[in-house]
Amino acid sequence: MPSLDMDNTPPPDPAVGSEPAVQVIDVYKSFGEVHALRGVGFTATRGSVLGILGPNGAGKTTTIKILSTLLRPDSGTATVAGHDVVHNPAAVRRSIMMTGQYAALDENLSGRENLELFGRLMGLSKKAARRRADTLLEEFDLVSAGRRAVGGYSGGMRRRVDIACGLVVRPEVVFLDEPTTGLDPRSRQGVWNLVNALKQQGITVLLTTQYLEEADVLSDNIIVIDRGTVIAEGTADELKEKTGGSYCEIVPLDPSKVRAALDALGELAPETVRADPSADRISIPAPDGAATLSEALRRLDAAGVELADIGLRRPSLDDVFLSITGHSGGQQ
Ligand SMILES: Nc1ncnc2c1ncn2[C@@H]1O[C@H](COP(=O)(O)OP(=O)(O)OP(=O)(O)O)[C@@H](O)[C@H]1O
Ligand SMILES: [Mg+2]
């Protein structure tokens, strides 16, 4: 993806120094009886991509809505680009861009006209708005579609125009709440490229996603939210490390032989694995890598357990997610 040419850089903001782009301290938010956030806290350094993961209802969208001033926290503090979300919401709004915010694209106008209109609304001159629209259409691979009415766009194209509208004026921080949900792989790749382009521009990105691989690839840091608090944070590698190193995964040819395989493995299979022999495969820790694998193979062979598959695996972010939240990854 070509670099985003942000030629409408706002004047330097005295409130923006070396402090984090986003800082959240002990934020609570309830909706009646539902305690959506219970002391959430984290920071995002400037120019970094922070992945926000968590099961359904964890509080991810609530957090993002508070940071983008669409909701007020009950208590705690949050700053975006150095501005307090409660005391200076107007300054926060000037510093951010959200997808979905401009979902009210005019269906009858073309992509280009929507972008120009948005530029004018943001105070650009007619000429500047047109120039900016041209640049963005090119960057978002929409030049050929730019003259057609948005009403006839595919979901992926619509998402791109939507995001482009938010970049008419360069933001400090961008919130992307599940930006690729429901997109086909090609459009998803387009959004990934966008995230990287934003990062290259020094723009901070907060990204929630139900695709853990996406968080793995794009994020500098990841926080995992569950039941309204942050339960883990670190780089994808650090989180994987905490979950435990490599695994050995064993799939008996006959699923009813899982119990027999566990007996053959003996102490190689920890209690937690033995306690739940319902699955058709067994994952055991492989602290010694290939040596663990060959020992497991020797024992299974001796016990006459035939295998469909056996192999060493590094934990994926899905494994991390499962082990720390007790839920399988992303949407369940
Ligand atoms: N406006 C609201 N009124 C009442 N309850 C709400 C409201 N918004 C969110 N909630 C509740 O707050 C909790 C957190 O919701 P939130 O949307 O932040 O979760 P999420 O992590 O974004 O989930 P998902 O992965 O499904 O998008 C949920 O229990 C949700 O039902
Ligand atoms: Mg959500």
Side-chain angles (χ1 to χ4, degrees), residues 84-131:
D84 188 287
V85 294
V86 173
H87 299 115
N88 205 352
V92 171
R93 283 196 287 268
R94 278 196 299 275
S95 317
I96 66 173
M97 172 239 149
M98 263 186 77
T99 51
Q101 195 171 354
Y102 314 110
L105 292 171
D106 190 324
E107 301 280 316
N108 300 313
L109 297 183
S110 68
R112 165 186 303 276
E113 287 163 337
N114 267 290
L115 284 167
E116 279 186 33
L117 179 65
F118 200 79
R120 296 304 304 273
L121 289 175
M122 297 301 284
L124 299 186
S125 72
K126 200 166 177 173
K127 193 165 156 235
R130 183 165 302 165
R131 239 193 17 236

Side-chain angles (χ1 to χ4, degrees), residues 29-32 34-37 53-65 71 177-178 208 210 225 330-332:
K29 177 73 188 177
S30 295
F31 301 99
V34 180
H35 304 297
L37 300 182
L53 302 180
N56 293 144
K60 304 179 297 291
T61 298
T62 304
T63 302
I64 286 195
K65 282 187 173 166
L71 277 176
D177 195 3
E178 299 198 14
T208 76
Q210 42 175 298
I225 298 185
Q331 232 59 355
Q332 358 54 62

